[in-house]
Amino acid sequence: GPLLSMTESVEPPTFRLVVRGVVEQWNEPAIATVYQQGGLMGGIGAVVPIWDDLSLDVEFVYRRFPQGGGSVADGPTGYQLQILPISFLLEYKFALNGPMHGFVGLGPAYTVFSEDGITDAAGLSVVSGARLASELRLGLRVDTGLITPLQSSIPQGGVQALELEIYGSRRMQLPRKIDRLDLGAWRGCIGLGLRF
């Protein structure tokens, strides 16, 4: 029947482009004392099919955090922290009931950071670097039904579906023992994706 056919397989391999809102809560207490414990960041993800139900999810997220949540330069001194987490996760998707599927991802993540400081004595100071990590992600994608592709045996080009995406993940910094600036984080995401 029609219900059985929806759960037999996920779908043919397809490309997805997803706009994501990601909330991160960092491990590093020193960041919270100057800036905040975490925050909402904007980003984009591209899910590229590899084979069958395996894909590569490449994600770029960015945000600039001013000192203490105020303006970038509060008075004569001020700091701002810029964070750019990048991840390359091997993703496996699995069928669920109805117009949805689950996915699990695992792979390397690279968090680029830069801190710009304006001080009375030294002028402008910049500290920058990057942290290598691994990330484990578990999520769900639901077809909103707002886009209905033409029913035809001939493959159609263009956008096939608009999907709502939700995931939770854990980024674990490598190596585990590090003296300062641990950018490991708990992460949550809500996104809207186009399936091609």
Side-chain angles (χ1 to χ4, degrees), residues 138-153:
L138 182 63
L140 180 72
R141 291 191 185 102
V142 183
D143 186 343
T144 62
L146 296 175
I147 297 174
T148 54
L150 297 173
Q151 298 299 318
S152 170
S153 59

Side-chain angles (χ1 to χ4, degrees), residues 18-23 40 59 137 140 165-169 187-192:
V18 190
V19 176
R20 292 170 173 162
V22 180
V23 175
L40 177 64
E59 179 185 84
R137 184 180 295 173
L140 180 72
E165 178 188 89
I166 301 170
Y167 76 67
S169 74
R187 312 178 78 226
C189 168
I190 295 181
L192 271 180

Side-chain angles (χ1 to χ4, degrees), residues 83-118:
I83 293 187
L84 172 64
I86 306 167
S87 59
F88 303 89
L89 304 190
L90 186 64
E91 178 185 292
Y92 173 75
K93 61 179 183 269
F94 50 92
L96 296 170
N97 289 330
M100 69 177 75
H101 72 265
F103 62 92
V104 60
L106 177 65
Y110 198 64
T111 307
V112 181
F113 68 91
S114 172
E115 183 181 48
D116 306 334
I118 302 165

